[in-house]
Amino acid sequence: LAELPIRRHSSDLWQTSGSVLALARTCRLSAYDACYLDLALSERLPLATCDLRLREAARTLGVSLFG
C-alpha cells in the first residue's frame, strides 16, 4: 500500500452533501455508496466496487469501473 499513489481528498461537507444526497435519491444508493460515486465523478477516477446497484449507477453516469 505504501507504494500506491494514495492521497487524502479534502472537501467541504456542506458543499458535497447536496450532491451526495441527490445521487443517493436518484440512484437509490445509500449515502455511503453515493459518497464514493460522487468522489469518482468529481475526481474523474474509476470506481472499484462489487456492489451491483453502485456499478449500475456508475455506468449510467459515465463513471468507468476498475477491474
Side-chain angles (χ1 to χ4, degrees):
L1 285 177
E3 295 177 19
L4 293 173
I6 297 173
R7 63 185 170 91
R8 194 175 119 201
H9 181 76
S10 178
S11 67
D12 180 1
L13 175 63
W14 297 112
Q15 181 182 11
T16 59
S17 64
S19 61
V20 167
L21 293 176
L23 279 173
R25 272 188 246 113
T26 302
C27 300
R28 298 180 54 205
L29 297 170
S30 67
Y32 181 85
D33 286 345
C35 283
Y36 282 105
L37 183 54
D38 185 68
L39 182 61
L41 281 164
S42 66
E43 295 293 312
R44 294 182 171 91
L45 293 170
L47 184 65
T49 183
C50 292
D51 183 276
L52 296 178
R53 186 173 283 168
L54 184 51
R55 289 178 72 84
E56 183 59 35
R59 279 190 205 102
T60 299
L61 296 173
V63 173
S64 60
L65 295 166
F66 184 81

